[in-house]
Amino acid sequence: MIYRFRVILDTEEDVFRDLEIDQTATLEDFHNAINQSFGFDGGEMASFYKSDDQWNQGEEISLFDMSDGSVQVRLMNETLVEDVISEAETRMLYVYDFLSMWRFMVELGEIAEREEGIIYPNLMFVHGQIPDQAPEINFEADEEDMGPEFDDDLDIDDLDNLNFDQNWN
């Protein structure tokens, strides 16, 4: 079977690519197809992240094992597309170049039969131009996500009255 994806660059402008890839291809193959379709050389670190319907970041699947060996890392070259994407789980996040932080939303559009004469992965459609540099990331959390530990009403601009002895963890 063939998986048809829309890969959307996380930017204000509409920039996306529609790609087809064999279900038994590795995520490293998919990483390479995404890089080629957006014009990257593919030489930077990258990771896929499983995602839910609200695009929350889940389990990481990395291009390389950068851990100290104490944690098992799931790798792209050992993970098949069909192992992380299904009709029930259709979304992933993809981050390329952790210094620039190119972020993409990857969504399964369709599972279809292979077509004779087509070489996969296959770039089906291109829309929009990639900007010269990655869009800035806004790392602000919603106030409701801050949790009770931030409900202390301290004025961090008033350094004389912060009383570090009293409020130190």
Side-chain angles (χ1 to χ4, degrees):
M1 300 300 285
I2 299 305
Y3 285 30
R4 292 185 175 135
F5 288 98
R6 175 153 289 171
V7 182
I8 306 165
L9 177 62
D10 188 7
T11 185
E12 289 183 23
E13 302 295 320
D14 289 338
V15 179
F16 63 87
R17 308 292 185 257
D18 290 345
L19 294 165
E20 295 178 308
I21 192 162
D22 192 280
Q23 70 183 23
T24 60
T26 66
L27 285 183
E28 184 174 24
D29 297 329
F30 195 26
H31 151 82
N32 291 331
I34 291 171
N35 278 284
Q36 289 173 357
S37 72
F38 281 94
F40 295 125
D41 66 11
E44 301 295 333
M45 184 61 191
S47 287
F48 284 98
Y49 298 89
K50 293 179 77 172
S51 182
D52 60 16
D53 289 342
Q54 286 77 43
W55 296 104
N56 293 309
Q57 181 176 312
E59 177 188 11
E60 179 180 15
I61 304 160
S62 183
L63 183 59
F64 300 110
D65 184 353
M66 302 295 285
S67 72
D68 60 5
S70 63
V71 178
Q72 187 171 353
V73 177
R74 197 166 178 187
L75 298 175
M76 288 184 202
N77 68 343
E78 299 171 350
T79 306
L80 302 180
V81 172
E82 67 184 352
D83 292 341
V84 292
I85 292 293
S86 66
E87 289 180 347
E89 294 178 313
T90 60
R91 293 182 173 183
M92 290 187 296
L93 298 170
Y94 173 70
V95 177
Y96 175 74
D97 185 354
F98 289 119
L99 295 178
S100 296
M101 292 296 289
W102 292 96
R103 294 162 309 169
F104 301 86
M105 295 170 286
V106 179
E107 186 166 19
L108 177 66
E110 181 179 24
I111 299 174
E113 295 288 333
R114 287 183 72 88
E115 292 185 33
E116 201 63 37
I118 294 180
I119 299 171
Y120 299 99
N122 177 39
L123 178 59
M124 298 171 48
F125 186 75
V126 173
H127 180 82
Q129 295 295 321
I130 191 161
D132 292 334
Q133 45 188 346
E136 279 195 38
I137 301 170
N138 183 2
F139 284 112
E140 292 180 20
D142 293 337
E143 204 162 303
E144 63 190 43
D145 294 337
M146 295 296 284
E149 65 269 20
F150 294 101
D151 289 341
D152 50 20
D153 293 326
L154 292 175
D155 181 4
I156 61 169
D157 295 324
D158 185 8
L159 297 176
D160 294 331
N161 292 318
L162 281 180
N163 194 352
F164 282 108
D165 293 330
Q166 179 183 358
N167 295 304
W168 192 254
N169 290 336

